[in-house]
Amino acid sequence: EVQLVESGGGLVQPGRSMKLSCAASGFTFNNYDMAWVCQAPKKGLEWVATISYDGSSTYYRDSVKGRFTISRDNAKSTLYLQMDSLRSEDTATYYCARLGLPGIDYWGQGVMVTVSS
Amino acid sequence: DVVLTQSPATLSVTPGERISLSCRASESVDTYLHWYQQKPNESPRLLIKYASQSISGIPSRFSGSGSGTDFTLSINGVELEDLSIYYCQQGNSLPYTFGAGTKLELK
């Protein structure tokens, strides 16, 4: 069974950093591109970042370029999202997602990040 | 970026009726269009892939159609458990953008 379990969320002050992790199991992690998707409270889904199966290629939405870094450790089957210079508008639930299609086939349960002083 | 426009934003439904939700792309995405269901306080789940392909474990009342820029998700006989928000997503080009969603509510 495919499982994606996020961790690392919580309350953080504006301008500070936070690192999210996503532990994957139930599939061969290094065969799949992975992504982070966010959902602000009561809002829709937004693409945040994507990383290729081997980590050689990444993609970021414009609003997080230069502030967020997606990475992966294939030996540990773990995906990461390093978030720096956080802003109030980054407040959202962040989902780890597997790109089993050209698109998402599995989602994690999500982790809440609240940016507030 | 490809813009996906979903309509209607909200649909009031009666259990048992057949309904259709629309997703329109700003440019052709071929059949790289997927549908997701998100229930309150849950993660989204994949309902339909590649515009019309069914997913194991998803009830047969859900079906999809379309290609290019116009797509439809149909529910043949809505049930109470289907009251959710439905999103489309394109997988033709990064970023794999989402539509804003259609919320099904009880009439």
Side-chain angles (χ1 to χ4, degrees):
Chain A
E1 178 192 6
V2 172
Q3 289 199 343
L4 300 170
V5 179
E6 301 96 337
S7 60
L11 176 64
V12 62
Q13 293 179 329
R16 304 297 292 265
S17 298
M18 177 173 280
K19 187 172 186 176
L20 305 182
S21 300
C22 170
S25 61
F27 65 101
T28 303
F29 183 68
N30 58 14
N31 282 354
Y32 291 88
D33 296 351
M34 299 292 293
W36 289 97
V37 174
C38 72
Q39 185 170 35
K42 305 296 185 184
K43 300 294 185 182
L45 301 165
E46 294 188 340
W47 202 265
V48 176
T50 301
I51 188 167
S52 60
Y53 67 99
D54 60 357
S56 64
S57 176
T58 58
Y59 180 94
Y60 299 93
R61 61 179 296 179
D62 286 347
S63 64
V64 307
K65 281 180 184 176
R67 300 190 300 122
F68 289 13
T69 304
I70 188 172
S71 62
R72 63 192 296 161
D73 185 336
N74 284 345
K76 295 182 178 180
S77 296
T78 302
L79 178 71
Y80 303 100
L81 185 66
Q82 175 68 43
M83 303 184 292
D84 299 323
S85 303
L86 282 161
R87 307 167 180 168
S88 58
E89 55 263 38
D90 297 321
T91 294
T93 296
Y94 285 76
Y95 294 101
C96 168
R98 189 181 87 165
L99 299 180
L101 314 166
I104 297 169
D105 61 351
Y106 286 94
W107 301 71
Q109 86 284 357
V111 62
M112 184 68 198
V113 173
T114 302
V115 184
S116 175
S117 55
Chain B
D1 297 359
V2 177
V3 177
L4 297 179
T5 303
Q6 291 189 242
S7 61
T10 304
L11 185 61
S12 298
V13 301
T14 300
E17 71 175 301
R18 177 181 171 86
I19 64 166
S20 293
L21 311 182
S22 172
C23 177
R24 181 162 292 176
S26 60
E27 60 187 75
S28 176
V29 297
D30 196 353
T31 58
Y32 294 104
L33 191 288
H34 318 301
W35 290 94
Y36 302 87
Q37 177 192 56
Q38 187 177 32
K39 296 185 177 181
N41 300 313
E42 293 186 7
S43 307
R45 69 165 176 167
L46 182 63
L47 281 183
I48 298 287
K49 63 181 180 180
Y50 300 112
S52 62
Q53 294 183 16
S54 58
I55 301 296
S56 175
I58 300 299
S60 59
R61 63 181 180 274
F62 291 94
S63 63
S65 63
S67 65
T69 61
D70 289 313
F71 301 87
T72 300
L73 174 69
S74 298
I75 309 177
N76 189 11
V78 171
E79 299 190 4
L80 288 178
E81 66 180 18
D82 300 336
L83 299 180
S84 308
I85 300 177
Y86 293 83
Y87 295 96
C88 56
Q89 181 197 33
Q90 63 84 18
N92 188 62
S93 59
L94 283 172
Y96 295 152
T97 44
F98 296 93
T102 291
K103 182 179 182 179
L104 290 193
E105 62 178 26
L106 195 61
K107 186 178 289 183

